[in-house]
Amino acid sequence: MIRAVFVAAALLLLISAPKSLGQTLLPLSATHYATFVSVLTWVLALFLVREINAGLNRWADNKWIWKGDDSNWDWKNEVAIVTGGSNGIGAMVVKKLLSHGIRVAVLDVAPFSDKYQNGNVKYYKCDITSRVQVHEAAETIRSDLGQPSILINNAGIGNANTILEMTPERLRKIFDVNLLSHWITVQEFLPQMILMKKGHIMSTASLAAFVGLAGMTDYACTKAGLMAFHEGLTQELKHRYKCPQIKTSIVYPNWTRTRLTSAIEKDILNSMGSTIMDAKDVADIMVKHIISAKSGQLILGPSIVTIIRALPAWLQEIIRDRMAQIVTVNATTAVA
């Protein structure tokens, strides 16, 4: 928007000023001066089209609601569920939520750090792939903290194996944690949100949803599936449950520095000038979006990734080939 305003101001100055003054400001011949003004006009038009497109995208992502409405949210009385909240991005999300006075329930199989413990956060050891454990934890949360209005499905694991190396047990585990658990948590917490006509469900995906790489096929599949889950959930809330008030968001982080990327960090940094995000920065963006009371998609990386599949096949394959050597280790929980 700033660029469009700057170009518009420059164009207005050149058009409104006497031609003699304009040519003084820009010492060009009459022909070159006219060409410059014409080019500037086209640049402004492109900027305006881009801004209009971005605005329409935000409107669509927000269920055709033009702006966020936080009037129905009292953050000090809201309860958030964060899966996988003991480490990495999840732990940073918990910390950010607490800074807004939101009460937080952490669901994780890993122990929760004592440094974040206070009266507004409670840890529940829970395997989110178990419907029974999730329901038991949910009942305890409702008793301890109140009815949850925010669900952040953040838990995720990764493998670093080729398709032939992948064992059935590890394959089932990554799909259970990264994708199928979303059905369990949403089925547990969404019904009450519908009754309240208020809620926010956020899913943590990855830019891997847009491109499959050697050594992480299983991970990319779960994140692509999560994209479809988010789209379907959004549609059902609008057209089946008539409840567009419930916000739905999906986050696509780029490579993020957590314990999951430690084994391949050097390979990431050596690939096509890739960078690694800090978990704190990812969490900050996620929580700011929650506080904005809007639905949406958060692309945390090169925007070109989202349009890779619209590119010619040869160009898509060049991009994938350039990143094929990032995940070459053989390990579990090696990618984020």
Side-chain angles (χ1 to χ4, degrees):
M1 178 60 74
I2 294 176
R3 287 178 295 184
V5 171
F6 178 79
V7 173
L11 185 61
L12 181 62
L13 176 63
L14 292 176
I15 292 175
S16 61
K19 185 173 292 186
S20 59
L21 176 60
Q23 289 180 318
T24 299
L25 295 172
L26 291 173
L28 301 172
S29 67
T31 301
H32 288 161
Y33 181 82
T35 300
F36 181 78
V37 171
S38 178
V39 169
L40 209 58
T41 301
W42 278 105
V43 170
L44 177 60
L46 289 173
F47 279 151
L48 290 176
V49 168
R50 180 180 178 182
E51 291 300 324
I52 291 171
N53 180 66
L56 289 172
N57 285 340
R58 289 191 295 269
W59 189 24
D61 284 342
N62 201 35
K63 300 187 177 72
W64 304 115
I65 299 171
W66 184 246
K67 61 180 181 179
D69 181 11
D70 61 1
S71 62
N72 196 34
W73 295 85
D74 180 4
W75 302 116
K76 294 188 183 302
N77 288 313
E78 306 298 340
V79 176
I81 306 291
V82 180
T83 69
S86 292
N87 295 286
I89 295 172
M92 294 296 101
V93 167
V94 171
K95 184 178 179 180
K96 295 287 184 180
L97 290 171
L98 291 173
S99 72
H100 289 278
I102 299 171
R103 289 170 289 170
V104 184
V106 176
L107 300 187
D108 206 324
V109 292
F112 185 64
S113 174
D114 291 337
K115 67 180 179 180
Y116 295 131
Q117 293 280 12
N118 65 46
N120 279 349
V121 59
K122 287 187 177 293
Y123 165 71
Y124 302 85
K125 186 174 182 178
C126 176
D127 178 357
I128 58 171
T129 68
S130 166
R131 190 174 297 274
V132 171
Q133 289 192 36
V134 169
H135 179 68
E136 290 176 348
E139 290 294 283
T140 307
I141 291 166
R142 293 178 182 118
S143 175
D144 292 344
L145 300 174
Q147 187 63 46
S149 54
I150 301 166
L151 171 61
I152 301 177
N153 279 318
N154 169 79
I157 60 173
N159 294 305
N161 296 115
T162 65
I163 292 171
L164 295 183
E165 293 168 337
M166 181 62 59
T167 66
E169 294 76 19
R170 287 165 72 174
L171 183 62
R172 168 57 63 181
K173 185 66 174 179
I174 193 171
F175 272 86
D176 281 347
V177 174
N178 291 11
L179 181 59
L180 300 183
S181 68
H182 290 246
W183 265 269
I184 296 174
T185 57
V186 169
Q187 287 175 351
E188 178 64 44
F189 296 108
L190 179 59
Q192 187 61 35
M193 292 183 188
I194 293 174
L195 291 176
M196 297 188 301
K197 290 192 177 298
K198 185 180 82 169
H200 197 142
I201 297 174
M202 175 177 280
S203 303
T204 304
S206 165
L207 289 185
F210 300 101
V211 54
L213 299 180
M216 52 182 289
T217 305
D218 55 341
Y219 182 82
C221 284
T222 63
K223 298 306 183 178
L226 191 51
M227 182 195 305
F229 179 88
H230 163 76
E231 292 172 353
L233 174 62
T234 300
Q235 287 290 304
E236 289 182 4
L237 284 169
K238 287 196 295 185
H239 301 294
R240 295 295 184 270
Y241 300 108
K242 310 300 180 185
C243 203
Q245 300 93 332
I246 295 177
K247 312 303 178 185
T248 50
S249 302
I250 186 166
V251 187
Y252 298 100
N254 200 352
W255 300 104
T256 303
R257 184 171 284 105
T258 67
R259 61 191 177 90
L260 303 183
T261 56
S262 58
I264 57 175
E265 185 170 321
K266 289 183 179 179
D267 293 318
I268 294 171
L269 294 174
N270 291 333
S271 173
M272 295 181 68
S274 296
T275 59
I276 303 180
M277 299 186 69
D278 191 273
K280 181 180 178 181
D281 295 331
V282 175
D284 187 49
I285 293 170
M286 292 169 66
V287 174
K288 281 182 178 177
H289 189 71
I290 293 287
I291 299 300
S292 74
K294 292 181 180 178
S295 296
Q297 302 182 65
L298 305 178
I299 310 295
L300 309 185
S303 58
I304 191 175
V305 175
T306 64
I307 61 171
I308 281 180
R309 298 195 184 281
L311 298 175
W314 63 269
L315 190 51
Q316 292 185 40
E317 197 62 9
I318 287 175
I319 293 172
R320 286 188 286 265
D321 287 343
R322 291 290 300 274
M323 296 188 288
Q325 301 306 315
I326 293 179
V327 185
T328 56
V329 297
N330 189 321
T332 187
T333 63
V335 295

